[in-house]
Amino acid sequence: MLGLLCELVVGRLSMLPILNNLANRAWPKTGEREAEAAMKFGIKAWRNGGRERVGSLDLCNNNNAIETPALVLTTRKGLPTYISPDLLPFVASSDSCLLHASPLHFLETASPKTISNIGGLHQLVSLHDYSFTAAPRDSILCLPEYESTNKMGASFETTCGRRLIKPAEYMELVSALNPNLWATLADEVPAWVSEKRNKTSVDRTVRWLDECMALDKVGSRNVLGAIVGGSSIEQRIRCAQEVTRRNVSGYWLGGFGLGETMDERTALLCAVTDILPKERPRQISGLDLPEEVLEGVASGIDLFDSTYIYHLTLGGCALTFPLNRSERHISDAGNDIKINLKATMYRKDTSPIIDDCQCYTCQNHTRAYINHLLNVHEMLAQILLEIHNTHHYLGFFRAIREAIKEGQFDLFHENFVESRHDHLTAVAANS
Amino acid sequence: MALRFEVLGRFNRARAAKLTLPHFICQTPLFMPVGTQGTIKGLTTNQLEEIGCQIILGNTYHLELRPGSDLIDELGGLHKIMNWPRALLTDSGGFQMVSLLHLADITEKGVTFQSPVDGKPMLLTPEQSIEIQNRIGADIIMALDDVVKTTITGPRIEEAMYRTLRWIDRCIAEIYALEAWLTAICLGGEDKDSFWRVVAQCTAALPEDKPRYVMGVGYPLDIVVCSALGADMYDCVYPTRTARFGTALVPELVKTLPNALRGCNMNMGILKLKQNAMANDVRPIDPSCMCMVCKNYSRAYLHSLVTKDAMGFVREFLKNMFPKGDVPEWVCNAMEVAGIDITACCSPFSAPKIGLEALATPKIQQHFSQKNIHSLLSSIDQKLK
Ligand SMILES: [Zn+2]
Ligand SMILES: [Zn+2]
């Protein structure tokens, strides 16, 4: 309770919707610190008795405010895995230009000093029109390694091998990269550890939060406080309470997608979000499947990972599920979530992945061409698939936001899960 | 459809021309990136248009294996499958057979090889090569040639030449009704001195009103020399291979960048570089860009490339490539034949023989990128007009 009171006193975030000013968009000057101003978050739509909400995240860097729930695009060293910077505008519209960057990707590249001299992450990758949120875990190349984590720092399995990251080292990278938002260092543990280990993870994460904020050169204006606690509701609540006592701008929920059951997860998420002040954004790591995203939205989460797109793309799959929530697609094999373009049936298929899709891939290329590119192991296949899948998943998030605005999210959620269930039943019956 | 080749400008033996093909009107000299399997490694077709790519080369042998020329034909041709609006060129397939398949045997009928699918002996005749290429539907197709290893000497070379000529006749008979044409082929030799001499002899002997394509040439220095000697078209797997295996050639930071950044997609405005304000601008084009061009070259340097006259261009190029003045002897000889005075950039004492090894150094390889080649050629082109 004390935490909530503190929060209300120090809260400085507007509840008013942020107006986008398209006309005043300008490129930041070279060398300008792009995250100088504190971000603003406002709730635009919510429902009495519901946790789901539509928010507006204004990162005060000349870019449009991002409407939430939103997808945070996974990157490698600040750039999408396959989509090159000049192709990014084909997928990400102005309402969805948030990218994830793991500071740990920059452990063995240029030194933090050089990155800082270049002008930070935006300059380094030359993406001025996009905003970045930084957190160590990316669920692809960078995974928490709880057994090697100790009181000094968090351990991660990275592309540079297993690394123990101390708050000072982490903050040196964060300061150099200067992202628009950043999460504090966390001790993430999987669902099966003991209560004692869960407690330790909370103690460490809270201590590191204080250390990170003390080390932040720009006065901790855009900090997402990490909340962990494994599968212990008690520890999750304790962590959330501790973090809400701090002067953070939002929250980063860690330790999910690490072995917990769906039911456990929903209970944990709701226990945490019920404590968090409503007027601050909540980012999560580890939930990325469509059903998981819907579950997260229902629990009041605002920002999600896009590792699902990465895995789909790598496997030669394209998202095809309908985005129009009024349609209920029943027992048609063509209405699965995705299609695998490696399949021989697409060899002569001259249609685009989705007929009315507006993405670069669907506007320019056929299923047959992508099938050929996959067969001969050409990288263009992944580029085209990542473009379509990202575009489609962003559309899914747009549909979620529309449903919330219209007060129809429950129905949307239900329809999605049921048509999925119907499909799986149909497939099982046919096989 | 009329295929036209109009020379627009000359400097001694060098020329700039307009080559009109069914799908695109090209400016020569031009470079054709190799898109072996119906794609250029990691680049989309709109990116290829953006970097100024005019013709893409497809490998008939690979395309016939996968997805097969029948399917390509059924789906409307390679242009349609790739959604590539500009020109395409296919090779005869003979070179891949000889270089990739050990058991290839060349007879008067054609190239006999072991099928990579079922191991059975197969025969590729000059007529079949043309049929396959026609199904693929390129703007320019190539006659099957009797390929000999460059290390071979003696009567086998003569045999290969006459056989190639006989095959060309058979190909021409076959394509009588086709909307495509054949290009005279010069094959580069193994040592630089005979290489430039062959090119010089060929360009002197070939008709003025047809394009001259030097196969497999793509190093910047070779392109400059061949262009000075009157060649028009080049291809090389080098830029795309660098992008693909780039990890071995490029600096540490670039090495670890995601695939997305390979292939250099920055928006380099060649025309803007002509502005006088660029002459003393020491910054790279885009200070935050990690591409080869931006990491290595100042705006001033690029300005110098696009604004000098033809002779000055060659001198400037050599000066930058060989700052100590150690221009290889073969280049000096070739330039003499081309009528280009490069004494200003040759040091008086040294002319150490620098062969292919020098061209393989990382420094010179860095000089290379798809973009770099295109801008290089467009600047040669502009100088000649
Ligand atoms: Zn699409
Ligand atoms: Zn560049």
Side-chain angles (χ1 to χ4, degrees):
Chain A
M1 206 51 225
L2 182 64
L4 269 172
L5 281 173
C6 287
E7 196 49 56
L8 290 171
V9 175
V10 297
R12 64 204 147 148
L13 295 159
S14 166
M15 285 288 284
L16 295 169
I18 311 303
L19 292 170
N20 300 342
N21 195 343
L22 274 166
N24 287 343
R25 289 184 76 188
W27 288 79
K29 286 185 200 85
T30 307
E32 188 178 315
R33 300 279 289 178
E34 296 184 30
E36 291 284 285
M39 61 88 156
K40 299 187 190 78
F41 183 75
I43 305 289
K44 289 165 94 171
W46 73 96
R47 179 174 60 88
N48 274 337
R51 292 184 179 88
E52 77 275 11
R53 70 254 193 96
V54 169
S56 171
L57 180 64
D58 185 351
L59 295 161
C60 297
N61 56 346
N62 295 323
N63 295 333
N64 285 340
I66 295 153
E67 219 177 45
T68 64
L71 183 67
V72 179
L73 303 187
T74 299
T75 71
R76 280 184 188 205
K77 301 188 174 77
L79 287 175
T81 316
Y82 298 106
I83 304 172
S84 57
D86 58 329
L87 294 176
L88 209 48
F90 285 114
V91 274
S93 58
S94 57
D95 65 341
S96 55
C97 47
L98 192 58
L99 300 167
H100 172 258
S102 167
L104 309 194
H105 289 186
F106 298 89
L107 279 171
E108 285 184 5
T109 55
S111 68
K113 192 168 181 293
T114 305
I115 294 172
S116 184
N117 285 344
I118 288 169
L121 185 57
H122 293 80
Q123 293 286 343
L124 190 70
V125 297
S126 200
L127 288 178
H128 307 276
D129 261 356
Y130 298 82
S131 302
F132 282 95
T133 170
R137 172 181 167 191
D138 67 7
S139 306
I140 298 170
L141 299 174
C142 230
L143 291 157
E145 188 46 66
Y146 76 102
E147 280 173 319
S148 307
T149 293
N150 59 38
K151 61 181 180 182
M152 305 297 292
S155 178
F156 292 90
E157 211 58 77
T158 76
T159 45
C160 322
R162 187 173 294 183
R163 297 286 288 255
L164 188 80
I165 311 296
K166 297 169 189 167
E169 193 183 356
Y170 179 64
M171 286 315 294
E172 200 186 358
L173 289 163
V174 168
S175 303
L177 293 167
N178 195 24
N180 303 91
L181 288 174
W182 60 274
T184 57
L185 198 60
D187 177 11
E188 295 185 75
V189 292
W192 56 81
V193 301
S194 67
E195 182 68 9
K196 186 164 168 265
R197 183 68 182 81
N198 283 334
K199 185 176 177 299
T200 309
S201 83
V202 173
D203 292 342
R204 283 174 187 163
T205 302
V206 172
R207 184 156 48 78
W208 291 341
L209 185 147
D210 290 335
E211 286 181 42
C212 286
M213 287 179 71
L215 287 162
D216 184 27
K217 287 174 191 154
V218 292
S220 296
R221 274 178 294 205
N222 294 328
V223 189
L224 301 176
I227 297 171
V228 296
S231 56
S232 160
I233 292 198
E234 193 191 322
Q235 293 306 324
R236 285 273 175 187
I237 290 173
R238 184 168 76 92
C239 194
Q241 284 172 339
E242 284 294 333
V243 174
T244 51
R245 272 185 206 121
R246 269 76 176 177
N247 183 20
V248 292
S249 306
Y251 308 93
W252 182 82
L253 279 64
F256 286 98
L258 297 174
E260 73 280 11
T261 65
M262 201 80 160
D263 291 341
E264 260 182 318
R265 181 188 294 160
T266 306
L268 290 166
L269 282 174
C270 293
V272 171
T273 54
D274 284 349
I275 292 172
L276 301 179
K278 292 205 166 25
E279 69 282 2
R280 299 200 173 180
R282 301 135 180 193
Q283 183 177 356
I284 197 162
S285 189
L287 306 194
D288 58 353
L289 298 172
E291 291 91 338
E292 291 180 326
V293 167
L294 290 168
E295 204 54 54
V297 169
S299 313
I301 303 297
D302 306 302
L303 300 170
F304 294 84
D305 280 352
S306 66
T307 48
Y308 180 51
I309 293 172
Y310 172 79
H311 292 296
L312 281 175
T313 302
L314 213 60
C317 291
L319 285 172
T320 50
F321 67 86
L323 295 175
N324 186 344
R325 77 204 139 79
S326 61
E327 289 171 44
R328 191 133 155 230
H329 296 258
I330 301 166
S331 65
D332 176 353
N335 284 329
D336 193 3
I337 290 278
K338 58 185 191 285
I339 56 172
N340 189 332
L341 286 167
K342 280 181 185 162
T344 331
M345 63 185 289
Y346 302 113
R347 213 171 101 84
K348 294 182 182 183
D349 191 338
T350 54
S351 53
I353 298 167
I354 296 178
D355 272 325
D356 52 358
C357 179
Q358 296 302 307
C359 85
Y360 172 81
T361 305
C362 292
Q363 292 291 310
N364 289 283
H365 295 291
T366 63
R367 292 174 174 191
Y369 185 51
I370 299 171
N371 172 265
H372 164 69
L373 293 173
L374 287 165
N375 280 337
V376 295
H377 309 288
E378 282 285 356
M379 197 174 69
L380 186 58
Q382 277 75 43
I383 295 173
L384 296 177
L385 283 172
E386 194 176 55
I387 290 174
H388 169 81
N389 288 333
T390 306
H391 179 89
H392 195 79
Y393 222 37
L394 287 170
F396 176 57
F397 276 80
R398 200 171 304 120
I400 290 173
R401 294 193 296 268
E402 292 309 313
I404 298 172
K405 285 179 195 167
E406 291 163 24
Q408 303 282 309
F409 178 73
D410 279 349
L411 185 67
F412 180 87
H413 190 173
E414 202 176 294
N415 275 352
F416 188 92
V417 173
E418 274 177 28
S419 60
R420 186 86 184 108
H421 177 78
D422 291 344
H423 168 75
L424 292 174
T425 316
V427 170
N430 291 337
S431 60
Chain B
M1 158 117 201
L3 298 158
R4 288 190 3 240
F5 183 75
E6 276 174 85
V7 176
L8 303 174
R10 283 174 201 282
F11 180 79
N12 295 343
R13 300 178 62 157
R15 71 248 192 101
K18 187 168 94 175
L19 172 63
T20 309
L21 296 171
H23 286 85
F24 197 66
I25 298 170
C26 313
Q27 308 287 322
T28 70
L30 64 78
F31 176 76
M32 302 179 287
V34 180
T36 302
Q37 323 214 63
T39 162
I40 303 285
K41 300 278 172 217
L43 289 175
T44 63
T45 45
N46 71 323
Q47 287 176 325
L48 288 165
E49 283 190 69
E50 243 170 62
I51 62 172
C53 174
Q54 307 182 70
I55 307 182
I56 293 175
L57 193 141
N59 287 123
T60 297
Y61 171 77
H62 290 100
L63 289 167
E64 178 64 357
L65 276 185
R66 283 179 305 190
S69 61
D70 286 331
L71 182 66
I72 293 175
D73 193 23
E74 193 182 327
L75 298 180
L78 191 57
H79 279 99
K80 194 164 176 211
I81 293 172
M82 292 176 67
N83 191 25
W84 173 242
R86 298 188 177 178
L88 280 169
L89 181 149
T90 43
D91 61 3
S92 66
F95 179 75
Q96 266 80 21
M97 287 185 184
V98 175
S99 62
L100 298 178
L101 306 169
H102 301 297
L103 298 164
D105 185 33
I106 301 164
T107 62
E108 193 57 31
K109 275 205 236 160
V111 184
T112 312
F113 62 101
Q114 202 178 19
S115 162
V117 181
D118 54 12
K120 285 181 188 155
M122 309 260 294
L123 175 73
L124 180 79
T125 64
E127 292 83 0
Q128 281 167 341
S129 166
I130 297 296
E131 273 169 35
I132 294 168
Q133 292 184 69
N134 189 41
R135 282 196 292 272
I136 295 170
D139 293 79
I140 305 177
I141 61 175
M142 308 264 304
L144 189 65
D145 51 325
D146 182 358
V147 183
V148 272
K149 288 224 170 70
T150 50
T151 46
I152 288 172
T153 51
R156 178 66 186 92
I157 299 237
E158 202 169 312
E159 184 199 333
M161 194 187 80
Y162 285 113
R163 181 170 287 150
T164 299
L165 289 175
R166 285 193 298 277
W167 283 359
I168 285 175
D169 288 339
R170 281 165 66 184
C171 288
I172 289 169
E174 183 68 23
I175 62 148
Y176 179 72
L178 305 181
E179 280 190 1
W181 69 354
L182 297 158
T183 308
I185 307 159
C186 290
L187 271 171
E190 76 289 353
D191 85 271
K192 286 288 168 179
D193 202 53
S194 52
F195 162 69
W196 80 259
R197 283 176 206 283
V198 168
V199 173
Q201 270 169 23
C202 289
T203 53
L206 288 168
E208 275 291 300
D209 59 347
K210 295 228 161 60
R212 299 148 181 181
Y213 167 23
V214 190
M215 288 185 80
V217 164
Y219 289 109
L221 181 59
D222 296 357
I223 285 176
V224 170
V225 169
C226 291
S227 298
L229 292 168
D232 308 300
M233 297 162 75
Y234 311 93
D235 80 273
C236 187
V237 292
Y238 190 73
T240 44
R241 191 167 283 172
T242 312
R244 198 158 135 225
F245 304 114
T247 47
L249 306 170
V250 297
E252 207 60 21
L253 186 61
V254 177
K255 184 167 100 184
T256 52
L257 281 172
N259 287 331
L261 208 68
R262 308 222 184 122
C264 179
N265 304 305
M266 50 130 207
N267 298 312
M268 181 164 96
I270 284 292
L271 289 172
K272 283 186 196 153
L273 284 166
K274 280 182 155 181
Q275 293 164 0
N276 289 334
M278 297 288 170
N280 290 307
D281 199 338
V282 296
R283 292 172 297 171
I285 296 163
D286 178 357
S288 61
C289 174
M290 292 291 145
C291 88
M292 307 300 184
V293 178
C294 295
K295 277 183 79 78
N296 294 302
Y297 304 109
S298 63
R299 294 178 187 184
Y301 170 69
L302 292 157
H303 173 82
S304 75
L305 285 187
V306 297
T307 51
K308 292 290 172 352
D309 62 285
M311 195 183 282
F313 170 81
V314 175
R315 276 202 297 259
E316 198 67 27
F317 176 83
L318 292 174
K319 226 184 250 171
N320 280 285
M321 196 135 191
F322 305 98
K324 287 183 202 151
D326 45 356
V327 178
E329 206 177 312
W330 71 271
V331 178
C332 299
N333 296 339
M335 287 306 103
E336 205 177 315
V337 171
I340 293 175
D341 176 17
I342 57 162
T343 47
C345 54
C346 295
S347 89
F349 306 109
S350 71
K353 215 166 173 157
I354 295 177
L356 274 168
E357 307 79 40
L359 291 168
T361 63
K363 182 177 168 288
I364 291 171
Q365 286 172 341
Q366 277 170 30
H367 208 82
F368 230 96
S369 71
Q370 197 92 20
K371 182 104 229 174
N372 210 3
I373 282 296
H374 285 290
S375 36
L376 181 70
L377 284 165
S378 81
S379 47
I380 295 175
D381 187 51
Q382 281 160 13
K383 277 340 100 225
L384 291 170
K385 271 181 221 155

